[in-house]
Amino acid sequence: MSEYRAAMEAFIEAARETLSCEQVITDYALRYALGTDASFYRLTPECVVRVHHRTQVQQLITLAQRFGIALTFRAAGTSLSGQAISDSVLVVLSEQWQDYEIGSNGDWITLSPALIGAKVNQLLAPFGRKIGPDPASINSCKVGGIAANNASGMCCGVKHNSYHTLKDMHIILADGTELNTADARSCEQFRRSHGEFVQALEHLGEQVRANQALRTRIEHKYRLKNTTGYGLNALVDYQDGIDIIKHLLIGSEGTLGFIANITYHTVPHSAHKHTGLFTFATIDSACDFIEQLSRYPVEAVEMLDKRALMSVREQAIMPNEVVDFPAQATALLIEIAGADESELQTTSAAVSALLERYQSDIIHQYALSSDSERAQALWNVRKGTFPAVGAVREIGTTVIIEDVAFALSDLARGIKALHALFAKHDYQEAIIFGHALAGNLHFVFTQRFDNDEQVARYEQFMAEVAQLVAVELNGSLKAEHGTGRNMAPFVALEWGDDGYGVMKQIKQLFDPKGIFNPGVIINSDPRAHLQHVKALPATDNTIDSCIECGFCEPVCPSQGYTLTPRQRISLSRHQQELQAQLASSTSPSSRLRQRLGAVQSRFQHLVDSSCAATGLCATRCPVGIDTGAYVKSLRQQGFAQSRLANRIAQYSAQHFQGSTQLARVGLSSMKKLAHVVGETQLHNSTQWLHQRFGTPLYFSAWPQGQEQPNPAQSHSKSGERNVVYIPSCANRVFANDGEHSVQQTLQQLCAKAGFTVIVPKQLGQLCCGMAFHSRGAVHQAQYKQQQLQQVMAELSDNGRWPVVMDASPCALHSASDGDIAPLDSITFAQQYLLPHLHITPSAEPIWLHVTCSSQHLDGGKAMLALANALSEKVSTTDISCCGFAGDKGFTHPELNSHALRHLTDSQPPGCKSGYSNSRTCEIGLKAHSGVVFTSLLLRLNEQAQARS
């Protein structure tokens, strides 16, 4: 055994004793999947450790020092430059790092590092404030990563980045020492215990300030956006050692210490905005306008070149003539904000007047407007550019994004020079976009690394880019994405020997044994950026366009339980890669066989069984990748291979009324049995069966079986207010917890509103097919959907009358798989019933769970609108997906339990009941909150009266 291997095994054993076995992950499939990040590099950690609090970080650092093991800290893993990967120990933050404190009426906020940026802004919204950094990944990235990378964004510029809005920081250094800069006692103790360290930093600052050439270079570089190397401006801007330490940690990418919390000065957030998109005929005219516009108080100016516009031309708001725009066409997305409407109008008028002077240069425009929906569509154009390139890349290529910055006076020259380099090195697909007011450009291109010629092409291209940016135009090689592995070889080129020498001294002072994130920022290998490139092999058409950005992760119910969508995709690709290697090898190694076996043995649970497959990830994915659809395709493959499963599904589809009747009897029998033997005893008994055979697990929230449905039916169409009602299988099987069934409730509401309800005679046989489809029984699902579509078409007079279903998942499934698109009952009530009802608002709060399917249908707008009509106090569960996923709450209850672990945190005071629009979701919500959840229709029926 090698010395390194022995040290690693000793570290792992000690970590398990110090923390817990569950926190120290060595399973190969898991650590491979958890090791992925948004960059185009791949390293597989020897182990992944989840830490829950500062003490555990200290303990881990102590062990790392003892055994000489390197640590890499990871927040969300949305960074793009390879700074959050490791082939040693990857330290990830558990969800327990969620503390925050808001002070001075929102003027500052102290944050734990695992809080998501967008969540922080939600906390600050009531104060009219936000944090300064606003990276494009703010809905996914976490505070620790924002600070460690000095991430900025579209509206942030330089003024509002983490460095300039930093108030205080709680740090853990390489020797395990804590420093809380907000605590005078902590600072004084640190000065006594680490006096030589503090003095050395202060002396280093004196040397830098005395070196006039270096000081001038630093001051110029940080007038631009710059994250290349360590923040040397800390040595110029501050003389006190504590101030220098906390500002050096900003942008240090986990190489100097661990940021345990950070306090930001917040910045104003205005709801008064005007947004527009203006396309100029030439780069020169656009850049000239940008220089003029920089004198105005503008919130953001985003630039897109012609190819960037072409990459998102399928978006509805893009004009058809974009194809005919000249090659140098350059679009500017402009957003103006004001503290109030008067300030907004003043600035907007001034900018409009400036635009008028450039009208002869503008070939297309969306004028400045307060239309929020159009503004969102325009921002979607900008945000869609990076993933759009990934979506259309040739399979086997890697998507690379770089970000540079120039002085505004050099911006046009820089853009044209980059275009020339793209042409020279045959990157025909490369696009440029960026934050124009900061002179910050992102360029995206695709690259193969599967042969020496391609590697040499990339190496030469990057060398010429570095020379252009850092030397010829004296810009920043990294403006906001961090140095990482892909720019570490060029840090010395940008900063010169003096600047780079100072950086090496900083690293030595903070981390003399080099245990923190080695190879990042300081790296002596001139070809480090060419190594460990991530493979993205063809796996499945549904997921092949994924670039593993991680935007999907916050809404995934299995995050922290097993895997997230991008991690499922990553592991699927790896299995494909290993299988290909095994097939092509004449004498495969035992290591290859072991890795493939390790992945295959865990694949079913990690990728398939624990996935809710609701497709909510697609709503966050910039290119709409539905990992749930991919998982369903895997289930279809498995289903096709099972004769027994096919026979059962076929029989159930053909005898559906009998199947649902059997389910109703079974539910009622279980509830009766629970009364006899006790809820706990029955739960324990079914748990034994569940663990061994995968049978459903009984728990007290299980409902009774619905009594044989016999809704009042009308089969004749009278008047103009007819509606076809298809009660869902779930509401026909599972009894409701309310006084009336959902079927009775909807029919009563329709009667109040003057609608004639038409219910199919053959209702017992009808099903939308989703229950079959989710298990992989696609043919049976299609059979049931076709049967339903035929009935809906006949009863609705081919769509003349609305068709309504009382479960949002069924409505969504039917709407996406047929000519007749039924409405979810909540949408129907909001659109059709409310205008004919008198509502008496109630002071009783409404606690609302917006289902995945409602989010797919309309973002939950109809449900929220209906709830707001009923109560002035509407709160949502703050749960993206409950994880019940049809019947998984019975067969895989761990997923539902994990997804709802924080459910009661959002329960409003005085709340007596909760509401949703999917019966199975309501069962799980009740089980994990103790609050009865029912259809929102029941609350509507209580408060609605017929209009006189």
Side-chain angles (χ1 to χ4, degrees), residues 377-404:
L378 293 176
W379 277 109
N380 289 342
V381 166
R382 161 59 184 86
K383 293 177 180 180
T385 49
F386 170 41
V389 175
V392 298
R393 66 182 171 82
E394 183 182 348
I395 301 303
T397 61
T398 297
V399 180
I400 297 174
I401 181 170
E402 293 294 351
D403 70 307
V404 300

Side-chain angles (χ1 to χ4, degrees), residues 585-663:
S585 176
T586 55
S587 55
S589 67
S590 59
R591 186 181 186 187
L592 174 60
R593 292 184 183 278
Q594 287 171 357
R595 286 184 170 180
L596 179 57
V599 171
Q600 289 177 329
S601 66
R602 300 282 281 145
F603 193 85
Q604 174 65 30
H605 177 62
L606 295 177
V607 175
D608 184 347
S609 301
S610 60
C611 177
T614 60
L616 201 57
C617 47
T619 66
R620 289 293 186 93
C621 175
V623 292
I625 297 169
D626 185 350
T627 308
Y630 164 66
V631 170
K632 289 178 181 178
S633 73
L634 296 178
R635 293 173 186 171
Q636 182 182 351
Q637 294 170 23
F639 183 86
Q641 296 171 3
S642 172
R643 288 186 178 181
L644 178 61
N646 269 279
R647 288 176 179 174
I648 292 173
Q650 190 66 31
Y651 183 86
S652 178
Q654 293 175 349
H655 303 83
F656 196 74
Q657 186 165 356
S659 300
T660 54
Q661 176 61 22
L662 183 63

Side-chain angles (χ1 to χ4, degrees), residues 362-508:
I362 297 173
I363 57 176
H364 185 274
Q365 65 179 325
Y366 290 101
L368 292 169
S369 167
S370 60
D371 184 336
S372 59
E373 289 192 10
R374 196 193 73 172
Q376 187 59 57
L378 293 176
W379 277 109
N380 289 342
V381 166
R382 161 59 184 86
K383 293 177 180 180
T385 49
F386 170 41
V389 175
V392 298
R393 66 182 171 82
E394 183 182 348
I395 301 303
T397 61
T398 297
V399 180
I400 297 174
I401 181 170
E402 293 294 351
D403 70 307
V404 300
F406 303 109
L408 287 185
S409 57
D410 292 321
L411 186 57
R413 182 181 169 194
I415 294 170
K416 288 187 282 189
L418 286 172
H419 280 161
L421 286 178
F422 297 155
K424 177 180 177 180
H425 294 281
D426 197 28
Y427 292 111
Q428 300 300 325
E429 76 292 350
I431 68 171
I432 295 179
F433 57 90
H435 317 311
L437 287 180
N440 178 191
L441 304 178
H442 303 308
F443 56 94
V444 183
F445 59 100
T446 62
Q447 173 70 51
R448 285 192 175 276
F449 288 93
D450 52 4
N451 60 61
D452 293 342
E453 182 181 354
Q454 289 294 327
V455 172
R457 176 174 73 130
Y458 175 69
E459 184 175 16
Q460 184 61 34
F461 171 72
M462 287 305 299
E464 293 183 31
V465 167
Q467 184 69 21
L468 166 70
V469 176
V471 179
E472 294 178 27
L473 296 181
N474 198 19
S476 306
L477 282 170
K478 278 294 181 182
E480 60 179 3
H481 291 169
T483 306
R485 298 174 185 276
N486 68 324
M487 204 52 73
F490 302 99
V491 175
L493 177 69
E494 176 163 338
W495 284 103
D497 291 340
D498 284 356
Y500 191 56
V502 171
M503 291 181 186
K504 289 196 288 186
Q505 290 182 65
I506 290 170
K507 175 65 172 175
Q508 181 64 27

Side-chain angles (χ1 to χ4, degrees), residues 486-768:
N486 68 324
M487 204 52 73
F490 302 99
V491 175
L493 177 69
E494 176 163 338
W495 284 103
D497 291 340
D498 284 356
Y500 191 56
V502 171
M503 291 181 186
K504 289 196 288 186
Q505 290 182 65
I506 290 170
K507 175 65 172 175
Q508 181 64 27
L509 284 170
F510 276 86
D511 183 22
K513 290 188 178 180
I515 67 164
F516 286 157
N517 215 4
V520 171
I521 295 183
I522 303 298
N523 194 321
S524 60
D525 183 355
R527 304 185 84 240
H529 60 304
L530 307 175
Q531 300 172 19
H532 311 298
V533 175
K534 182 187 291 183
L536 300 175
T539 303
D540 186 278
N541 289 337
T542 308
I543 60 173
D544 280 343
S545 58
C546 175
I547 56 174
E548 301 181 12
C549 66
F551 285 14
C552 55
E553 292 190 331
V555 296
C556 179
S558 62
Q559 182 182 30
Y561 167 50
T562 53
L563 300 182
T564 64
R566 74 158 164 185
Q567 291 165 355
R568 287 187 169 92
I569 291 172
S570 179
L571 194 62
S572 296
R573 285 170 166 166
H574 189 45
Q575 177 173 262
Q576 183 84 6
E577 183 182 29
L578 292 173
Q579 289 172 337
Q581 290 175 3
L582 184 65
S584 63
S585 176
T586 55
S587 55
S589 67
S590 59
R591 186 181 186 187
L592 174 60
R593 292 184 183 278
Q594 287 171 357
R595 286 184 170 180
L596 179 57
V599 171
Q600 289 177 329
S601 66
R602 300 282 281 145
F603 193 85
Q604 174 65 30
H605 177 62
L606 295 177
V607 175
D608 184 347
S609 301
S610 60
C611 177
T614 60
L616 201 57
C617 47
T619 66
R620 289 293 186 93
C621 175
V623 292
I625 297 169
D626 185 350
T627 308
Y630 164 66
V631 170
K632 289 178 181 178
S633 73
L634 296 178
R635 293 173 186 171
Q636 182 182 351
Q637 294 170 23
F639 183 86
Q641 296 171 3
S642 172
R643 288 186 178 181
L644 178 61
N646 269 279
R647 288 176 179 174
I648 292 173
Q650 190 66 31
Y651 183 86
S652 178
Q654 293 175 349
H655 303 83
F656 196 74
Q657 186 165 356
S659 300
T660 54
Q661 176 61 22
L662 183 63
R664 284 193 292 270
V665 171
L667 284 166
S668 296
S669 299
M670 291 295 283
K671 294 301 288 187
K672 290 177 181 178
L673 184 59
H675 285 302
V676 175
V677 303
E679 299 273 4
T680 302
Q681 181 62 38
L682 185 56
H683 172 80
N684 292 338
S685 298
T686 58
Q687 189 171 46
W688 185 88
L689 293 168
H690 169 73
Q691 291 172 345
R692 284 156 180 78
F693 305 107
T695 55
L697 177 68
Y698 177 83
F699 45 87
S700 60
W702 268 40
Q704 292 273 2
Q706 177 66 277
E707 293 183 6
Q708 183 69 32
N710 186 27
Q713 300 179 10
S714 171
H715 303 295
S716 61
K717 307 174 182 69
S718 60
E720 291 299 316
R721 294 186 195 168
N722 297 314
V723 58
V724 178
Y725 174 34
I726 314 290
S728 66
C729 312
N731 281 316
R732 282 155 32 207
V733 171
F734 301 112
N736 192 54
D737 285 312
E739 181 180 351
H740 300 290
S741 69
V742 174
Q743 295 99 309
Q744 293 169 329
T745 301
L746 182 57
Q747 289 176 318
Q748 290 171 6
L749 283 167
C750 287
K752 292 177 183 179
F755 277 80
T756 299
V757 179
I758 304 163
V759 179
K761 293 179 180 179
Q762 65 274 53
L763 177 62
Q765 275 296 107
L766 297 182
C767 168
C768 70

